[in-house]
Amino acid sequence: MLASKVMSLVENVDYLVIGAGVAGLRAAITLADRGQVLVVTKEAVGESNTHYAQGGIAVALSGPEDVALHLEDTEYAGDGLVFRPAAQVLVSEGPLRVEELIRWGTRFDRGAGEPGTGHPGELLLAREAAHSLPRILHANGDATGAEISRSLLALARQHPQIRFADWTMLQRIVMKDGRAVGADLLFHANTRGPRVERVGARAILIASGGAGQVYSDTTNPPVATGDGIALAALAGAELADLEFYQFHPTALALPGVPRFLLSEALRGEGAYLRNDRGERFMERYHPKLELAPRDVVARAIAREGMGGADPEATRPVYLDMRHVTGIDLAARFPGISRFLAGHGLSLQRDLIPVRPAAHYLMGGIRTDLSGRTTVAGLYAAGEAACTGVHGANRLASNSLLEGLVFGARAAEAILADAPEVSRIEAVEAGDGALGGALNPDSGVAALVRDLRAAMWRNAGLLRDETLLRSGLKEQEAIGERMREITESTGPNRDLPGRALIEAQSLIAVARAILLSALAREESRGAHYRNDFPKRDDAKFARHSVFSAGAAGDVRFEQW
Ligand SMILES: Cc1cc2nc3c(=O)[nH]c(=O)nc-3n(C[C@H](O)[C@H](O)[C@H](O)COP(=O)(O)OP(=O)(O)OC[C@H]3O[C@@H](n4cnc5c(N)ncnc54)[C@H](O)[C@@H]3O)c2cc1C
């Protein structure tokens, strides 16, 4: 059992930001001009989905025509469900935010003046799937997210009003009179043992990223367990579009090796996909071949044998760049090349085995165009949020841009809305906020493994009612088992550990995904139902809205 309760009101800050990816950092930088900001991150400050983003950031830098085309591409990928005002904000404010980022020291790749590398000093633009033009900025070849993260962190660290609490987790959003007024934070890697502290704030921004860990196969790092989404729902915030999980078509498929992402930019540079008979099978699925929207490519791979619900059907599918000439692949993709070399593979020489993996959550905490959730005092931005900007499927490289644009907007809204003071008092003893204690060998890890496998089988790339209902049954059984564990291991006020918060979050997010996917009886974007293979605009050109509660209620709304 973990250490027992230590909790008090430790401090009030002006603004509390949960997460230090692109959205949280961008927001913190604006907020810090007007008050103290505490940025909380679950692991080391640099660990986030943002850090691992490879291919780049989409932005329309060459004028109004480019902006209009970016909007068109975003809407096309989103399959009839993009909330146009949100996409308009993204594409039109994007250039401003990216230019700001460059001024702040982000070093995107530029031409060297050598043949095939662009004019000296000119920003290099790559092309990715479903973009009608090359408009993807990248950094250090395939390490764009790390560079953006580096530059934002450098700026944030210089700011006297920004403090970081690393190895610290949001555990609960504290509500008072219907308003979010603070948070219980678990300092889980404290040298003196874990402890929980309550922090009051004038406003709280959830920028805690996605929930890829809800699936057994994911490109996301271990921090992506959807905690912010689950805890916001628990505080009463509505979620939206949870059925839309993007599966990236090409993660490395080597046994026992993490699902390392093989960026879309590889296909942008000409990579083919081949099945185990050597056929370039995308010819049968979409006129844009390997550059078709991600959901089309991912389902094609599942149908060719890799990544479907049947774990036995594992005929390999390969990415093939052996024919690509005129480009130094090791120089263009240094990170990917290094990782592959570590496993004896080379882009120039080998067929690279790939399979789809859960990658990006289009849905999340429902917000307006400025990050306001349905709970006063609570804001969300980045992958944790859902403005409707991606509709049913995100256009490649739009999410780093989303984090910048909507992170900045959320900060501005917070500054405009936040009350002058919001001071909460020390927590009353016996408040019972902390839930049960976690016995280290309580079986939670096994439950999480089962949940992730069940979600892949039942709510993965190819869904139907039978699969989703059986997923729901498994989720409920796992939830029940979890309750037994938490109730059996200790009195109410003992500290839960990181594993417990994460497991509870994954179980809650899984439920929201399953119920939303069951309710959407059509196929659209990343959500594909074998039993309803067509898009049904008459009934479902609307966003799903989920409210937590015993039954878990899903309704559809037009925005
Ligand atoms: C391998 C990979 C490659 C990608 N490539 C691209 C790309 O090329 N282009 C693109 O546009 N997008 C890409 N994406 C998607 C993109 O990186 C993410 O959508 C985006 O970075 C999300 O940013 P964010 O700020 O919302 O969240 P994140 O960057 O995920 O940050 C979340 C933060 O929240 C913290 N956190 C989580 N839970 C808690 C908690 N309970 N308490 C406290 N802190 C918490 C984490 O520690 C982290 O600091 C990629 C994603 C992956 C995984």
Side-chain angles (χ1 to χ4, degrees):
M1 190 182 296
L2 298 170
S4 61
K5 175 181 119 94
V6 182
M7 186 163 102
S8 59
L9 175 70
V10 169
E11 61 176 327
N12 280 298
V13 296
D14 290 306
Y15 309 113
L16 184 59
V17 174
I18 308 297
V22 59
L25 289 173
R26 179 60 194 81
I29 287 165
T30 291
L31 290 170
D33 287 338
R34 299 265 297 277
Q36 291 175 341
V37 186
L38 181 63
V39 179
V40 177
T41 74
K42 194 194 284 194
E43 290 191 4
V45 168
E47 184 63 3
S48 60
N49 273 3
T50 298
H51 177 79
Y52 295 97
Q54 295 177 346
I57 180 164
V59 62
L61 287 177
S62 48
E65 212 172 302
D66 193 6
V67 170
L69 273 174
H70 193 185
L71 177 65
E72 209 173 280
D73 292 345
T74 300
E75 289 194 306
Y76 175 75
D79 206 2
L81 206 63
V82 166
F83 182 47
R84 177 172 275 213
Q88 269 162 341
V89 163
L90 180 81
V91 299
S92 61
E93 293 183 14
L96 198 83
R97 293 294 164 221
V98 168
E99 281 156 12
E100 177 182 72
L101 203 58
I102 293 170
R103 277 200 309 282
W104 288 350
T106 306
R107 295 187 288 258
F108 290 112
D109 293 335
R110 292 176 183 267
E114 288 154 20
T117 68
H119 296 299
E122 197 174 75
L123 286 166
L124 295 179
L125 297 173
R127 179 157 187 187
E128 288 189 359
H131 284 274
S132 50
L133 295 173
R135 68 161 77 87
I136 319 295
L137 295 178
H138 44 88
N140 299 317
D142 53 10
T144 312
E147 172 58 13
I148 291 177
S149 180
R150 179 203 64 75
S151 59
L152 287 174
L153 265 174
L155 192 60
R157 282 193 163 119
Q158 283 168 17
H159 206 300
Q161 299 254 66
I162 299 180
R163 279 181 305 133
F164 289 93
D166 59 357
W167 299 97
T168 300
M169 284 180 79
L170 173 69
Q171 184 199 58
R172 196 176 81 128
I173 294 163
V174 179
M175 300 291 294
K176 194 173 175 187
D177 304 329
R179 181 181 177 89
V181 292
D184 290 337
L185 302 178
L186 171 71
F187 293 74
H188 58 90
N190 196 282
T191 47
R192 283 166 292 141
R195 69 176 201 279
V196 172
E197 291 178 358
R198 180 162 289 188
V199 175
R202 293 163 62 188
I204 300 155
L205 175 70
I206 305 290
S208 53
Q213 292 295 328
V214 78
Y215 288 101
S216 51
D217 282 273
T218 181
T219 61
N220 290 192
V223 291
T225 51
D227 311 347
I229 298 169
L231 293 168
L234 207 62
E238 287 180 347
L239 308 182
D241 291 345
L242 264 285
E243 65 273 37
F244 296 115
Y245 222 112
Q246 183 175 83
F247 297 89
H248 198 288
T250 54
L252 183 63
L254 288 179
V257 176
R259 295 282 168 253
F260 182 79
L261 183 75
L262 297 168
S263 165
E264 195 130 316
L266 296 168
R267 279 172 284 131
E269 296 290 359
Y272 297 155
L273 285 165
R274 297 192 184 279
N275 62 19
D276 61 345
R277 295 181 295 286
E279 293 164 352
R280 203 177 157 199
F281 57 85
M282 282 311 298
E283 287 164 358
R284 293 200 294 278
Y285 294 95
H286 198 278
K288 288 193 174 172
L289 306 171
E290 283 84 0
L291 292 181
R294 278 186 183 170
D295 60 303
V296 176
V297 181
R299 279 197 299 276
I301 294 176
R303 292 205 167 96
E304 292 294 317
M306 260 301 195
D310 179 1
E312 301 305 314
T314 52
R315 288 196 315 278
V317 168
Y318 300 99
L319 197 73
D320 184 5
M321 291 197 92
R322 296 171 304 173
H323 58 282
V324 175
T325 52
I327 166 174
D328 179 349
L329 292 175
R332 171 70 180 86
F333 301 108
I336 292 174
S337 300
R338 255 194 319 276
F339 191 89
L340 291 176
H343 297 280
L345 291 170
S346 143
L347 288 171
Q348 281 96 346
R349 190 189 60 217
D350 298 308
L351 287 168
I352 314 293
V354 292
R355 60 175 290 149
H359 185 60
Y360 180 86
L361 179 59
M362 270 73 71
I365 306 163
R366 179 183 186 177
T367 70
D368 70 4
L369 297 184
S370 298
R372 295 181 186 89
T373 70
T374 51
V375 168
L378 188 66
Y379 299 74
E383 193 169 338
C386 178
T387 55
V389 69
H390 306 298
N393 202 10
R394 175 188 66 122
L395 182 67
S397 287
N398 261 0
S399 47
L400 289 171
L401 192 67
E402 173 194 25
L404 280 183
V405 168
F406 290 98
R409 285 178 75 91
E412 281 157 12
I414 288 170
L415 294 179
D417 300 348
E420 278 309 300
V421 281
S422 164
R423 298 288 184 248
I424 54 170
E425 305 302 321
V427 64
E428 304 84 39
D431 157 282
L434 301 177
L438 178 62
N439 185 326
D441 47 30
S442 58
V444 172
L447 285 186
V448 168
R449 241 187 345 265
D450 291 351
L451 180 79
R452 300 177 67 209
M455 286 298 286
W456 186 268
R457 271 196 315 278
N458 299 303
L461 278 157
L462 303 168
R463 304 164 171 180
D464 63 35
E465 182 175 351
T466 313
L467 284 172
L468 290 166
R469 287 208 183 284
S470 103
L472 208 49
K473 250 174 117 174
E474 288 188 61
Q475 182 274 344
E476 278 163 4
I478 289 167
E480 189 48 43
R481 183 73 198 101
M482 190 72 194
R483 267 188 295 282
E484 283 165 21
I485 290 173
T486 53
E487 279 160 20
S488 69
T489 51
N492 227 9
R493 278 174 266 135
D494 285 351
L495 292 179
R498 168 180 176 169
L500 182 56
I501 299 171
E502 291 188 337
Q504 285 170 333
S505 298
L506 288 170
I507 289 169
V509 170
R511 182 164 190 80
I513 292 175
L514 286 159
L515 288 170
S516 306
L518 254 177
R520 185 172 288 281
E521 295 182 331
E522 63 156 358
S523 290
R524 180 187 296 269
H527 169 72
Y528 189 86
R529 294 269 306 244
N530 283 317
D531 45 354
F532 295 98
K534 295 231 154 50
R535 177 171 135 175
D536 181 351
D537 279 342
K539 270 173 120 169
F540 290 110
R542 293 178 297 155
H543 298 268
S544 66
V545 178
F546 175 87
S547 312
D553 164 38
V554 179
R555 63 180 196 279
F556 288 90
E557 271 186 31
Q558 188 96 48
W559 317 342

